[in-house]
Amino acid sequence: QVQLVESGGGLVQAGVSLTLSCAASGGTFSNYVVGWFRQAPGEEREFVAASKRNGGSTYYADFVKGRFTLSRDNAKKTAYLQMNSLKLADTAVYYCAVGLRGDSNSYPTLSASYDYWGQGTQVIVSS
């Protein structure tokens, strides 16, 4: 069983930066595929960024490329999502998730690849 706790969300103005954290308990963090997803009001949950296990590649949704950076500290069992140049459209609840299965690493952009989810942290970007 893995528990995930996100933090770092808040109300910010457009153009500023914010860093979200995702702390995990249980297991070996380096073995997890780590993903960030978000869900805006009235919208479906969408992929934001993902990091494959054991130093594998990192992937980003097109709408965050160049603005968001996913990093992870496996020793601290924590993943981060550095968000720069925030836009109004980035307003959403952000969720981190980890995948433990083989296919988690094969399809890291799919929500179905993830086994455990955090409770989410709200990010509101204002003008």
Side-chain angles (χ1 to χ4, degrees):
Q1 189 78 9
V2 178
Q3 292 186 323
L4 302 172
V5 178
E6 300 103 332
S7 61
L11 172 62
V12 296
Q13 287 192 317
V16 304
S17 300
L18 199 63
T19 300
L20 306 181
S21 300
C22 172
S25 62
T28 303
F29 196 70
S30 60
N31 290 343
Y32 299 156
V33 178
V34 177
W36 285 95
F37 292 76
R38 70 185 189 185
Q39 187 167 19
E43 302 291 331
E44 297 286 320
R45 187 174 299 186
E46 64 181 354
F47 168 75
V48 175
S51 168
K52 286 192 170 185
R53 61 171 57 100
N54 297 322
S57 301
T58 303
Y59 300 85
Y60 297 95
D62 287 344
F63 54 79
V64 303
K65 282 182 180 177
R67 298 191 299 125
F68 290 13
T69 302
L70 188 161
S71 61
R72 54 194 296 170
D73 185 330
N74 291 327
K76 294 183 177 179
K77 297 185 178 182
T78 302
Y80 305 94
L81 186 67
Q82 172 74 38
M83 306 185 295
N84 297 329
S85 302
L86 282 165
K87 304 177 180 180
L88 298 181
D90 294 320
T91 294
V93 177
Y94 284 73
Y95 299 89
C96 72
V98 297
L100 283 63
R101 294 166 280 142
D103 62 352
S104 301
N105 215 43
S106 300
Y107 306 102
T109 66
L110 302 180
S111 59
S113 294
Y114 294 87
D115 303 292
Y116 297 97
W117 293 79
Q119 82 288 350
T121 186
Q122 176 83 57
V123 174
I124 300 174
V125 183
S126 65
S127 59

